[in-house]
Amino acid sequence: MANKGNILLKIEGLRIEAYAEEKWFEIVHGVDLVLRRGEVMGLIGESGAGKSTIGLAAMGFARDGCRISGGSIEFDGLELTTTSEVDRRRLRGSKIAYVAQSAAASFNPAHKLIDQHTEAPVQYRIRKRTESQEDAMELYERLRLPNPREIGFRYPHQVSGGQLQRAMTAMAMSCRPDLIIFDEPTTALDVTTQIEVLAAVRDIVDQFNTAAIYITHDLAVVAQMADVIKVLLKGDQVEEADTRTMLNKPQEEYTKSLWAVRSFQREQKLRPSDDSAPVVAVEDVDAAYGTVRVLEDVSFDVHAGMTVAVVGESGSGKSTTARCITGLLPPLKGRILFRGEELPPSYLSRSKDQLRQAQMIYQMADTALNPKIRIGDIIGRPAQFYGGLKGTALKNRVDELLDMIELDPSQFYGRYPPELSGGQKQRVGIARSLAAEPTFIICDEVTSALDQLVAEGILKLLDRLQRDLDLAYMFITHDLATVRSIADEVVVMKQGKVVEQGAKDAMFKPPHHPYTDLLLSSVPEMDPDWLTTLLEERGVDNVGDAATT
Amino acid sequence: MNYFVIGYYALLIGSSCLAAHYRQREIFLLLFSLTLASFVMGIVGGEGALWAVTIAAGLLALAGGTAYSFREFLIIISGPLTARALRTAPLTAAFGMFVIFTYAVLGIFAPVIAPYGEAEVISQSFAPADQDMLLGADQLGRDMFSRLVYGARNTVGLALVATTIAFVIGALLGMIAAVKQGWFDQFMGRTIDVVMSIPSLIFALLLLSILGTNMIVLVVIIGVIYSPRVYRLTRAVAGNVVVMDYIEAAKLRGEGMWYLIRKEILPNSTAPLIAEFGLEFCFVFLLVAGLSFLGLGIQPPTADWGSMVRENATLISFGEITPLIPAAAIALLTVAVNMVVDWMLYRSSGLKE
């Protein structure tokens, strides 16, 4: 990627404050950034590091409740902190574009894609509507969207998530901006879809020689996209270097810890040799939402003290299987056995003890904990409900559970969920399921909403608890790195069917089922050439096809 | 030209200049436009108009000062959490709280505050105000001020009880419908549609003439008539809560419906419900006053603002403002409640800036 031009964006000593509890807090403490024309900079860091805030500040914009309190932002010779809002607004969309994390939430559902695409060029009088539509179709083609001449006339809900994200990238390109800010554009996508978007974004940025700021928390992704990587921590810059140097020789301790995060891996356990009944056995389960069949002949066993990872893309029926096991969705056919005994299909007809044995930990700890109930009461309720504990016995049990999840009881007992960080909330969710003293826990994407360092902590905790309490886990995930670190057995699902299942070590060794192979090869690696090599192997044109077939 | 007029303009122009100097844009615009308007008013209306402006400004400043001090007072006496919420209250909300507080004191301590009984005839009908009677006498010679104080207790108390009934019925059914869903939800929804399709005042009149007029019937009828609105709101708010994972977790735990409603749903829907309570209270209050005005509400000799307006209505033709005083009492309370509710709605909607 040669011919880097002159400086396009220069941020110096940027300070941003946020308003909370009647005070202004500084959340970005003096960040410098230089971006040349045609260069792609990766901003990485955990949540709360100020990545998105800095990305928005590059457009001279601060979110509601935030303000730019110091420093300078110079874009193409224009100082954004002092220009009027009218002038800044003129830049946005035409010279600087923004691609948001959730394309589904950012498109207006009431308008067709192409109408939203042409809005900016027509508004800024860069192109006429018809020209702009032609241009949109051309961009759709370049981004390898299927049916580029027709897809624009669909509404946002009529195309898939990956296609929508690419349409949004095309929209950002509609005025041929000098700078595009990508704010975690692939975080919400499956690995197989992510590749399409990554390849499309990289090509188009390259073709038009557009500069870009690529914000993400996924190191492997940023390694594919960026020329330069900048690491942020709690609003401070940690270090900056070009991609290869950064990957091979990180200087700072924090960066090294980020790099090492995927190292946690534990030994695979084997099924107990005797013929004891599995804790949970799913037998030939079919399920449907209304008339839509979502599960077909799903069978697998979970043995005591073992972790079964259920992997697949979104829509493959992973969570539906969990709903069948818990009884929220009674299966059409097939049985759920618990220690050899058949469970009633609906949770309503299960006994209190049957309900107690199988607990669930949710993906979004935000919605899984009632924000108006204190932590102590959230954790205490199952103990009170199933165990009939009261008074000091209950308090002691809650303290014990809080200790178990490594949160200080004296500090957390009386607090409310909104006062906790994402990782702490997830720990409380774990404690709540432990309070019921279960033998089987369903973990539904428990780490996917968390930062990598925090996620690793949760995985280690779950592993320790499994050893201490001899728990059986069903681990639903789309992240193969998680599978590699914690699973004993793997079940690969696709469109409601089990494609392949077996012990972990065997699964990660060839030969694979073609779909497993696709999933495995789509996980980004920390090698800057990974995407290029992969695309060459697969043949550039069928990236999208490979994922859809 | 006298000293008052000179002082008036000097003060306005001086403060405009100060505001302009310290770049207080809005204050300057307000002051200076008032100055310009005063020139016109002074020429057209003479000194009297300027006095009126001064008094109005003084009253406004007094109300603002009261509201400000009342808010500070509340902040000091309340706990840290409430105090933080109160600090975000605008002056209008603080003023509203002050008015509600005053009405509450009047209502609770009515026998102590009122100099005479509510049905006590002490003078001739329509007697003018004197040192015994602050606001004069009504059409039967009862003390207007005492009746106004007792009216606070009767009218406001009745509206409060009726609103509470409406809330208990509406909120409970709404939450049950949200949890149960299915046919119960449909059945309740359609029943509520039928009740809502009948105009409330006419429905109330109809029921009152069938069942007869007494306090209990009145309160229950109004409560039932107003419960559908509460039902709909609660059903919508609770509908958003029941889809949360923590409700699913509680259901899977095997919790009963009563626990779900009480512990999981209710705490998460209180903010909009409290705001709605304020709004409903105003409607109920106006309905009670309206029914009394029509003679079907609170029956004489019990003092009530609505009927006080009707009984003294003849005085309007003589240019007296007496019948307007209870009307003003109604208006003031309604506006005050709305001011507080506005603030609460703003808070519960999570809007910033």
Side-chain angles (χ1 to χ4, degrees), chain B residues 269-286:
Chain B
S269 21
T270 37
L273 283 184
I274 289 172
E276 178 70 9
F277 188 89
L279 280 179
E280 280 309 303
F281 173 75
C282 293
F283 288 120
V284 169
F285 186 65
L286 292 176

Side-chain angles (χ1 to χ4, degrees), chain B residues 9-196:
Chain B
Y9 284 115
L11 189 69
L12 267 186
I13 293 168
S15 41
S16 307
C17 290
L18 271 179
H21 181 74
Y22 288 105
R23 305 204 171 278
Q24 298 293 321
R25 211 179 118 81
E26 265 142 44
I27 299 176
F28 169 72
L29 281 178
L30 183 80
L31 283 171
F32 198 66
S33 47
L34 187 63
T35 319
L36 292 178
S38 300
F39 283 135
V40 179
M41 281 192 286
I43 292 163
V44 177
E47 203 185 312
L50 295 187
W51 269 113
V53 173
T54 317
I55 290 166
L59 282 176
L60 213 60
L62 204 63
T66 317
Y68 181 78
S69 347
F70 189 67
R71 186 177 64 189
E72 293 304 308
F73 173 70
L74 285 180
I75 289 172
I76 289 168
I77 61 163
S78 56
L81 265 178
T82 333
R84 192 196 291 169
L86 280 170
R87 275 197 200 101
T88 66
L91 280 185
T92 46
F95 183 70
M97 284 186 254
F98 177 72
V99 172
I100 294 168
F101 173 73
T102 317
Y103 275 60
V105 170
L106 278 184
I108 293 164
F109 300 106
V112 186
I113 294 168
Y116 304 100
E118 59 179 319
E120 206 176 328
V121 177
I122 53 157
S123 129
Q124 290 179 334
S125 48
F126 298 133
D130 56 29
Q131 67 270 31
D132 285 337
M133 297 180 291
L134 210 55
L135 296 170
D138 69 355
Q139 89 282 11
L140 294 178
R142 296 171 294 194
D143 178 31
M144 197 71 184
F145 177 71
S146 303
R147 283 182 68 75
L148 210 57
V149 173
Y150 276 102
R153 171 183 267 198
N154 301 330
T155 319
V156 178
L158 192 118
L160 211 58
V161 175
T163 319
T164 312
I165 290 177
F167 258 76
V168 171
I169 299 174
L172 204 62
L173 288 177
M175 281 191 275
I176 293 174
V179 176
K180 285 213 131 178
Q181 296 170 343
W183 69 267
F184 181 79
D185 190 19
Q186 288 297 324
F187 173 75
M188 281 312 300
R190 301 299 79 76
T191 315
I192 291 297
D193 284 349
V194 171
V195 177
M196 278 190 97

